Amino acid sequence: MTRDSSDISNNEKEPVTLIVGDAAAWLSAGRSLPDDPSLHYVSFDEMSQRLLESFEPDIILTPLLGQGFDALDLAVILEQYKYKGRFRALCPKLPNPDLVMREIQSLCPSVDFDLFVVDDSDPRRLN
């Protein structure tokens, strides 16, 4: 028996990525941002429980050091809002990434946090 599209559950949705940072600054620096319906760009100041409930992101991406905030600031908010998805900070190669990991994990133990190391010379980087 074959399945047609009417057999597929409506609960199956595309993964949603929430990117937190200053998109206007990225664009003004000559960087391009991917245009994909599963990507949503918000500023740190826009983060709220309501926003998380609205987007239901599977993963949140942010620069390790953003303009006016850092990944720890965002991790604390996500801990307060009981966010259950993945949270990843983009950063250049660090001398001691384990130190950053331990600090965030000790202050926000329920947040699924990790670092994505990106090539520092890449013009598409987020910070």
Side-chain angles (χ1 to χ4, degrees):
M1 181 172 176
T2 62
R3 274 178 62 172
D4 65 23
S5 60
S6 64
D7 292 334
I8 297 174
S9 167
N10 287 341
N11 292 338
E12 294 177 22
K13 64 177 184 99
E14 287 290 318
V16 173
T17 301
L18 188 63
I19 302 172
V20 180
D22 189 344
W26 299 332
L27 291 171
S28 68
R31 298 181 180 117
S32 63
L33 299 176
D35 184 21
D36 183 303
S38 68
L39 301 177
H40 303 277
Y41 300 91
V42 299
S43 71
F44 177 74
D45 295 335
E46 291 176 290
M47 284 302 299
S48 67
Q49 181 74 44
R50 180 180 229 169
L51 183 129
L52 282 177
E53 290 169 356
S54 172
F55 285 114
E56 296 181 334
D58 299 286
I59 187 168
I60 296 175
L61 301 175
T62 193
L64 182 60
L65 300 172
Q67 292 184 358
F69 75 101
D70 62 28
L72 178 57
D73 297 327
L74 186 52
V76 168
I77 290 171
L78 297 176
E79 179 86 7
Q80 291 172 339
Y81 295 158
K82 300 182 183 350
Y83 172 68
K84 297 299 179 198
R86 296 168 291 155
F87 173 47
R88 303 296 184 260
L90 287 78
C91 64
K93 187 173 180 181
L94 300 173
N96 192 351
D98 290 336
L99 181 66
V100 174
M101 295 288 298
R102 284 194 306 269
E103 180 179 14
I104 291 178
Q105 290 171 342
S106 70
L107 294 172
C108 307
S110 69
V111 174
D112 177 358
F113 177 77
D114 205 351
L115 295 170
F116 281 163
V117 177
V118 293
D119 180 358
D120 200 31
S121 64
D122 187 343
R124 296 172 296 164
R125 70 180 195 272
L126 295 178
N127 60 350

